[in-house]
Amino acid sequence: MCLNRQSSIPLYEQVVNYVKEKIRTGQWPVGSRLPAQRKLAEWLKVNRSTISTAFDELAAQGLVKSAHGKGTVVINNTWGLLTDRKPANWQQLIEAGHYKPNLAIIQKINAAEFYPGIIRMGTGELSPDLLPNRKTSELLKNLNLRSFSLGYCEPKGNRQLREEIARYVAGFGIQTAPSSILIVSGALQALQLISIGLLERGTTLLLEKPSYLYSVNVFQSSGMRFAGMPMDSEGMCVDKIEAYKKNTPHSMLYTIPNFHNPTGRLMSAARRKQLLAVSARARLPIIEDDVYRELWLGSPPPLPLKADDHAGNVLYLGSLSKALSPGLRIGWVIGPEPVIDRLADLKMQNDYGSSNLSQEIARAFLHTGAYATHTAHTRAQLKIRRDYLLERLDSLFADLAEWQVPTGGFYIWLKVIPDIHAAALFQEALKQNVLLNPGILYDRDAGQYLRLSYSYASFDQMDEALRTLRRIILEQSQRSF
Amino acid sequence: MCLNRQSSIPLYEQVVNYVKEKIRTGQWPVGSRLPAQRKLAEWLKVNRSTISTAFDELAAQGLVKSAHGKGTVVINNTWGLLTDRKPANWQQLIEAGHYKPNLAIIQKINAAEFYPGIIRMGTGELSPDLLPNRKTSELLKNLNLRSFSLGYCEPKGNRQLREEIARYVAGFGIQTAPSSILIVSGALQALQLISIGLLERGTTLLLEKPSYLYSVNVFQSSGMRFAGMPMDSEGMCVDKIEAYKKNTPHSMLYTIPNFHNPTGRLMSAARRKQLLAVSARARLPIIEDDVYRELWLGSPPPLPLKADDHAGNVLYLGSLSKALSPGLRIGWVIGPEPVIDRLADLKMQNDYGSSNLSQEIARAFLHTGAYATHTAHTRAQLKIRRDYLLERLDSLFADLAEWQVPTGGFYIWLKVIPDIHAAALFQEALKQNVLLNPGILYDRDAGQYLRLSYSYASFDQMDEALRTLRRIILEQSQRSF
Ligand SMILES: Cc1ncc(COP(=O)(O)O)c(C=O)c1O
Ligand SMILES: Cc1ncc(COP(=O)(O)O)c(C=O)c1O
């Protein structure tokens, strides 16, 4: 959005007109808050004082009102010809909706990731230069568009893609059939479908603490409770599970055995066996979130729980997001057929299936072997990136933090030694163009932690971000003396 | 799935092994029901008696048990080495999930649409030969994959696509900006996001009766109630709305003004004005579902409600599904910015955004003008199809049914004169390879109605289906004497 500096209309008046247009077209309805003056000034590339003059003018015309501490609110849209137009009370509706909003800091991160010039130091995705644009383009050119449908899809998703996935997961021991597979728009959607389709409000979910799941509201919004299990070097500790399950008979367990988000940890083969045994004894269903499987940097991880799940206790989640492309929005759920049927039915209620185009490209990646080639390439590149970040940490943070070497995935779970205030650190870093994922997103008690990612930022950016971070931590910890 | 007829292993034993494999791999866990013998026989292409022998054998081995009227259930998976493996109680979980399953008949339709040889006489989508496979392929070839991201997307969706949509809707009077637009995976997902994001459980939704909304469970699953308003030749009747709104202050109104699903009706310009006036007086928010806008067969429909919505009372839904391709799964919501922000936040909780590939192709269709070209073509073809179905109805159903001539969209709302039993008619037609959408899906009191569609089946199929339908109706109505 740019104002016209050559115009004979003063800038402040252009701002007035801009705001009026927003109000007139119902984009900023009565009762809504105007953006902060500072933000608007940035946006429209004018001085703060120009905005301030414009707001005064709007207030004088009776269109907006500033309330102390509450910002500026639209109170009227009845200038000119518009008279008897009363707006619906959207604010009330927004508050009435039964899903919780994302945590404010998550909302901030979701938006800030797209700020120009920002360094994304905590992001859970591959850097653009690791994404397979060229290969995708090639596969798209060779797509046989005659043979695939642009119509609505079967409830469980493209049949040929499900066949490819069945073949693919057989490679690490999961025996299944297309009818036991549901295609979803990423593993997150699988979690959402599980939350509405398999769980009563008030159900307890056992999970690792910390966990990715604390950072998304998908289960909390449906009224589930979390019971966090501690982790050790082999992954989730299993000793308290049976006791929990006895108290909350309808519980389910969620785990990320491979390259856990956010700790980067790998569950050992022995621990997997123990967990399956506990699950069998306690009849405890397991959600196995395996989205990082392909991203091993040393040797391949142990077989998934699902590979040894002869009782059918495990719902297995996979995704193309982490090793290929999140923008495709393709993932899968594998489980007992009646469960897959139920989830497929709910998927039809939510969005009538995932993009056929994405499904077709996913099929082509798997079918041609391009997926395997690409993941090998990704691993090699990630390894270099991990090693670089570790080296930079060694030289810049040896005195300030502790960490372990992840054997796969995207993350280093950094424990900062000086006392930090997570929100203040996040804010200050953002001001200096470094976007962080604070540990508290994944565990309320992890205030000293940061989830650093070596998957996204460039080498120079990683170096710069660590230097900035070091400076801020030192400043903020000195100030607190 | 095919058995090996050359093998020395008897067919029934191959069936036993097939079922055992399903049980062993947890696809058919303990407690789940086996497919009906008839269905399995069809599937594996063997006689019913072979299946029956196999089931007896499985029962003798203690793996399954037949309960009268309940089918055959897996009771054990502990042959061979497998011993202490107790399955989770998935059935209980499935029943505990707080979302309702789709109506049985909707589930049946969703599955039957993919039966080979079926004639889809009620389907709400374009025939495959009306879908733009060639143009899509061409646009895909010219995609500049360097310039677009395969990563996660901004919360509101691809910015350039939102700009294209803003330009596109300006063509019919909607003034908006990209920040007031949210990209969704089809209009159905918009409804789902509204149901979880803006409405309290127990909220009343005013809507046309009949309506598409009765056939999807998206609002019912979130505990909303429906208040159906009658329709006349100008669309939804508005006289009772204010009274309703007084009794249920938190209500919202849902309408399909253009080529209404299922009646095909068009809301007049005068009625639109009345509805907006009522909405302004009662401060009643409106969801305007405009997915059929482009499919006018005579002259373009009146401007949308949203075009005159200066109060910001209208949430506007559009989609590429009906006039271009449902498989892309691209739709949009336009509304007050705070509402769009709220829905975007929930979309991030549900699936982190829609397929980038689909968004990119949607952008290309709009940007290049290919969308306009294609919709003009679609209209011309649909008109021929509508006229054909009307002509066939005239000659085959003049004595059996009543209907009106739709001026756009996909549907003829057929009122059958002889008494019919909707479920029996549906079943018998399906047996004869004709898939129907009975009126009761859209209105419990519309037992005499069928939603016929001229968008999907071929000309020959339409003719054949109508002949079959006529025969069944005559038979079933005679039988009931
Ligand atoms: C553990 C885990 N599961 C699921 C997801 C969701 O991934 P997607 O929906 O893109 O497949 C993520 C992404 O951050 C993740 O870290
Ligand atoms: C009135 C109406 N709204 C919304 C939809 C959903 O369409 P989509 O989600 O494919 O955009 C349909 C499809 O049947 C419909 O008829």
Side-chain angles (χ1 to χ4, degrees):
Chain A
M1 184 59 221
C2 265
L3 304 180
N4 181 355
R5 274 147 223 281
Q6 265 69 58
S7 162
S8 63
I9 306 171
L11 280 176
Y12 89 90
E13 215 175 299
Q14 292 186 46
V15 175
V16 168
N17 290 338
Y18 171 79
V19 174
K20 276 178 140 175
E21 185 63 17
K22 287 278 183 186
I23 298 174
R24 192 182 66 74
T25 55
Q27 294 180 60
W28 293 353
V30 170
S32 69
R33 204 164 301 143
L34 297 190
Q37 296 199 9
R38 187 181 42 75
K39 235 167 121 185
L40 207 55
E42 242 174 58
W43 216 351
L44 300 173
K45 303 199 178 62
V46 294
N47 288 332
R48 176 82 184 269
S49 64
T50 309
I51 301 289
S52 172
T53 314
F55 275 31
D56 289 348
E57 175 63 27
L58 287 161
Q61 294 185 21
L63 296 171
V64 307
K65 194 174 160 175
S66 304
H68 216 68
K70 286 192 158 180
T72 305
V73 173
V74 181
I75 55 167
N76 202 340
N77 59 4
T78 60
W79 67 94
L81 283 175
L82 320 175
T83 41
D84 68 340
R85 298 205 162 99
K86 290 207 210 104
N89 193 340
W90 290 108
Q91 198 49 43
Q92 192 182 47
L93 291 170
I94 288 171
E95 282 155 22
H98 57 289
Y99 266 52
K100 300 179 191 190
N102 267 312
L103 300 173
I105 200 162
I106 290 280
Q107 291 191 14
K108 188 77 204 175
I109 292 173
N110 288 340
E113 287 183 339
F114 297 89
Y115 291 176
I118 197 89
I119 302 182
R120 295 162 60 170
M121 270 312 285
T123 288
E125 67 174 304
L126 289 175
S127 153
D129 59 280
L130 295 181
L131 295 176
N133 285 52
R134 215 171 46 197
K135 190 71 201 177
T136 304
S137 164
E138 194 186 308
L139 291 172
L140 282 172
K141 289 208 170 82
N142 294 326
L143 262 197
N144 186 351
L145 268 160
R146 297 268 130 235
S147 76
F148 104 93
S149 159
L150 287 167
Y152 287 109
C153 194
E154 286 184 72
K156 291 182 192 172
N158 181 312
R159 171 108 202 159
Q160 287 163 310
L161 174 57
R162 286 182 286 133
E163 280 164 6
E164 290 296 339
I165 290 170
R167 258 191 290 279
Y168 165 65
V169 299
F172 38 86
I174 297 179
Q175 292 177 303
T176 189
S179 57
S180 295
I181 300 176
L182 170 67
I183 307 297
V184 284
S185 301
L188 178 61
Q189 187 178 51
L191 296 173
Q192 202 263 330
L193 294 172
I194 291 168
S195 80
I196 63 175
L198 297 180
L199 301 178
E200 242 165 341
R201 307 183 79 76
T203 300
T204 299
L205 236 92
L206 311 187
L207 76 179
E208 285 115 359
K209 179 177 154 86
S211 174
Y212 164 69
L213 220 50
Y214 285 96
S215 74
V216 286
N217 262 350
V218 50
F219 285 99
Q220 295 92 320
S221 273
S222 288
M224 316 305 162
R225 295 203 196 100
F226 286 169
M229 303 288 130
M231 299 179 76
D232 63 20
S233 63
E234 293 193 65
M236 182 191 248
C237 300
V238 300
D239 36 306
K240 290 193 198 122
I241 291 175
E242 276 172 284
Y244 262 102
K245 164 77 183 173
K246 267 195 196 109
N247 289 335
T248 57
H250 286 209
S251 45
M252 225 182 190
L253 184 138
Y254 170 85
T255 179
I256 310 167
N258 288 329
F259 318 122
H260 177 262
N261 178 357
T263 65
R265 248 181 239 163
L266 181 68
M267 191 184 283
S268 68
R271 185 61 56 80
R272 289 171 201 236
K273 278 221 157 52
Q274 289 172 340
L275 184 53
L276 270 178
V278 168
S279 151
R281 277 201 303 274
R283 304 190 68 184
L284 176 68
I286 294 179
I287 304 168
E288 177 177 24
D289 186 338
D290 204 14
V291 301
Y292 295 100
R293 158 159 296 273
E294 291 291 354
L295 302 176
W296 44 274
L297 304 178
S299 48
L303 293 185
L305 298 163
K306 184 73 191 158
D308 283 315
D309 168 43
H310 304 286
N313 276 1
V314 178
L315 260 184
Y316 177 88
L317 314 186
S319 169
L320 294 182
S321 289
K322 300 305 174 182
L324 191 76
S325 155
L328 292 178
R329 308 309 304 127
I330 294 294
W332 48 88
V333 195
I334 301 176
E337 213 170 298
V339 177
I340 295 302
D341 287 344
R342 164 76 169 154
L343 297 177
D345 183 50
L346 290 176
K347 175 128 169 87
M348 290 303 279
Q349 287 186 37
N350 274 11
D351 64 11
Y352 288 137
S354 297
S355 159
N356 275 357
L357 210 47
S358 283
Q359 291 189 70
E360 192 62 17
I361 273 296
R363 191 195 64 73
F365 263 105
L366 288 168
H367 185 72
T368 60
Y371 182 59
T373 312
H374 183 77
T375 54
H377 170 74
T378 306
R379 281 190 290 269
Q381 295 296 314
L382 268 184
K383 192 162 185 310
I384 299 172
R385 294 175 148 268
R386 179 201 60 178
D387 293 345
Y388 178 77
L389 186 59
L390 286 169
E391 185 272 316
R392 290 288 74 206
L393 281 172
D394 277 336
S395 79
L396 290 167
F397 275 77
D399 56 335
L400 280 188
E402 292 164 357
W403 61 90
Q404 259 150 17
V405 175
T407 57
F410 289 164
Y411 311 115
I412 292 176
W413 188 231
L414 192 80
K415 183 174 182 185
V416 180
I417 297 167
D419 274 354
I420 53 173
H421 184 280
L425 180 60
F426 173 81
Q427 288 297 352
E428 185 52 35
L430 187 58
K431 246 192 225 158
Q432 302 190 32
N433 269 333
V434 175
L435 186 58
L436 297 174
N437 283 42
I440 44 167
L441 296 177
Y442 311 98
D443 174 1
R444 228 181 309 170
D445 302 323
Q448 287 297 117
Y449 287 82
L450 296 172
R451 185 186 85 174
L452 294 186
S453 156
Y454 44 82
S455 63
Y456 194 88
S458 70
F459 292 86
D460 285 354
Q461 285 182 324
M462 286 195 249
D463 180 57
E464 188 188 330
L466 286 191
R467 289 176 192 277
T468 305
L469 193 56
R470 177 176 176 84
R471 213 168 41 237
I472 301 174
I473 290 175
L474 287 177
E475 269 172 31
Q476 295 197 339
S477 65
Q478 256 150 28
R479 208 178 301 150
S480 66
F481 284 115
Chain B
M1 184 59 222
C2 264
L3 304 180
N4 182 355
R5 272 146 225 283
Q6 264 71 58
S7 162
S8 63
I9 304 171
L11 280 176
Y12 89 89
E13 215 175 300
Q14 292 186 46
V15 175
V16 167
N17 291 337
Y18 171 80
V19 174
K20 275 177 139 175
E21 185 64 14
K22 288 276 184 187
I23 298 174
R24 192 182 66 76
T25 55
Q27 295 180 62
W28 293 353
V30 170
S32 69
R33 205 164 300 145
L34 297 190
Q37 295 199 8
R38 187 181 42 73
K39 232 167 123 185
L40 207 55
E42 244 174 55
W43 217 353
L44 300 173
K45 302 200 178 59
V46 293
N47 288 333
R48 175 82 183 267
S49 64
T50 307
I51 301 290
S52 171
T53 312
F55 276 30
D56 289 349
E57 175 64 25
L58 287 161
Q61 294 185 21
L63 295 171
V64 307
K65 193 174 162 175
S66 304
H68 217 67
K70 287 193 159 180
T72 305
V73 172
V74 180
I75 54 167
N76 203 339
N77 60 4
T78 59
W79 69 94
L81 283 174
L82 320 173
T83 41
D84 68 340
R85 298 208 163 95
K86 290 208 210 102
N89 193 341
W90 290 108
Q91 196 51 42
Q92 193 183 45
L93 290 170
I94 288 172
E95 283 155 22
H98 56 289
Y99 266 53
K100 301 181 190 189
N102 266 313
L103 299 173
I105 200 163
I106 291 280
Q107 290 191 15
K108 189 77 205 175
I109 291 172
N110 287 341
E113 287 183 339
F114 297 89
Y115 291 176
I118 197 87
I119 302 182
R120 295 163 60 169
M121 270 312 285
T123 286
E125 69 174 305
L126 290 174
S127 153
D129 59 281
L130 295 180
L131 294 177
N133 284 52
R134 216 173 41 197
K135 190 72 201 176
T136 304
S137 166
E138 196 184 308
L139 292 172
L140 283 173
K141 289 207 171 81
N142 294 325
L143 263 197
N144 186 350
L145 268 160
R146 297 267 132 232
S147 76
F148 105 92
S149 157
L150 288 167
Y152 288 108
C153 193
E154 286 185 73
K156 290 182 192 173
N158 181 312
R159 171 106 204 164
Q160 287 163 311
L161 173 57
R162 285 182 287 133
E163 280 164 7
E164 289 297 338
I165 289 170
R167 260 191 290 279
Y168 164 65
V169 300
F172 39 87
I174 297 179
Q175 292 176 303
T176 189
S179 56
S180 296
I181 299 176
L182 170 67
I183 308 296
V184 285
S185 299
L188 178 62
Q189 188 179 51
L191 296 173
Q192 202 262 330
L193 294 172
I194 291 168
S195 80
I196 63 176
L198 298 179
L199 303 177
E200 241 165 343
R201 307 183 78 77
T203 300
T204 299
L205 236 93
L206 311 186
L207 75 179
E208 287 117 357
K209 180 178 153 82
S211 173
Y212 165 68
L213 220 50
Y214 285 96
S215 74
V216 285
N217 263 350
V218 51
F219 285 99
Q220 295 93 320
S221 274
S222 288
M224 316 303 161
R225 295 204 194 98
F226 286 169
M229 303 287 130
M231 300 178 76
D232 63 20
S233 62
E234 293 192 66
M236 182 191 247
C237 300
V238 299
D239 36 306
K240 290 192 199 122
I241 292 175
E242 276 172 285
Y244 260 100
K245 165 76 183 171
K246 266 192 200 115
N247 289 336
T248 56
H250 287 208
S251 45
M252 225 183 189
L253 185 139
Y254 169 86
T255 180
I256 310 167
N258 288 330
F259 318 123
H260 176 261
N261 177 0
T263 66
R265 241 173 247 173
L266 181 68
M267 191 185 282
S268 68
R271 185 60 56 81
R272 288 171 202 237
K273 279 221 157 49
Q274 288 173 342
L275 184 54
L276 270 179
V278 168
S279 151
R281 276 202 302 275
R283 305 191 68 187
L284 176 68
I286 294 178
I287 305 168
E288 177 176 23
D289 185 339
D290 205 14
V291 301
Y292 294 100
R293 159 159 294 273
E294 290 292 354
L295 300 177
W296 45 273
L297 303 179
S299 47
L303 293 186
L305 298 163
K306 185 73 192 156
D308 283 314
D309 169 43
H310 304 286
N313 277 359
V314 178
L315 260 185
Y316 177 87
L317 314 187
S319 170
L320 293 182
S321 289
K322 300 305 174 181
L324 191 76
S325 155
L328 291 179
R329 308 308 304 125
I330 294 294
W332 48 88
V333 195
I334 301 176
E337 214 171 299
V339 178
I340 296 301
D341 286 344
R342 164 75 169 154
L343 297 177
D345 182 51
L346 291 176
K347 174 125 170 89
M348 290 302 278
Q349 285 186 39
N350 274 10
D351 63 13
Y352 288 137
S354 297
S355 159
N356 275 356
L357 211 46
S358 283
Q359 292 190 72
E360 192 61 19
I361 273 295
R363 192 196 63 73
F365 263 106
L366 289 168
H367 185 72
T368 60
Y371 183 59
T373 313
H374 182 78
T375 54
H377 171 74
T378 306
R379 280 190 289 271
Q381 295 297 313
L382 267 185
K383 192 164 186 308
I384 299 171
R385 293 174 149 270
R386 178 200 61 178
D387 293 345
Y388 178 78
L389 186 59
L390 286 170
E391 185 273 316
R392 289 288 73 206
L393 281 172
D394 277 335
S395 80
L396 291 167
F397 274 77
D399 56 334
L400 280 187
E402 292 164 357
W403 61 90
Q404 258 149 15
V405 175
T407 56
F410 290 164
Y411 311 115
I412 292 175
W413 187 232
L414 193 79
K415 181 174 184 183
V416 180
I417 298 167
D419 274 354
I420 53 173
H421 183 280
L425 180 60
F426 173 81
Q427 288 297 352
E428 184 54 35
L430 187 57
K431 243 191 230 159
Q432 302 191 30
N433 270 332
V434 176
L435 185 58
L436 297 174
N437 282 42
I440 45 169
L441 295 178
Y442 310 97
D443 173 2
R444 227 181 311 170
D445 302 324
Q448 288 296 119
Y449 286 82
L450 296 172
R451 185 186 85 173
L452 293 187
S453 157
Y454 45 82
S455 63
Y456 195 89
S458 71
F459 293 87
D460 285 354
Q461 284 182 325
M462 287 196 247
D463 181 58
E464 188 188 328
L466 286 191
R467 288 174 194 278
T468 305
L469 193 55
R470 177 178 175 84
R471 212 168 44 235
I472 300 174
I473 290 175
L474 287 176
E475 268 172 31
Q476 293 196 341
S477 65
Q478 258 150 25
R479 209 178 300 151
S480 66
F481 285 117

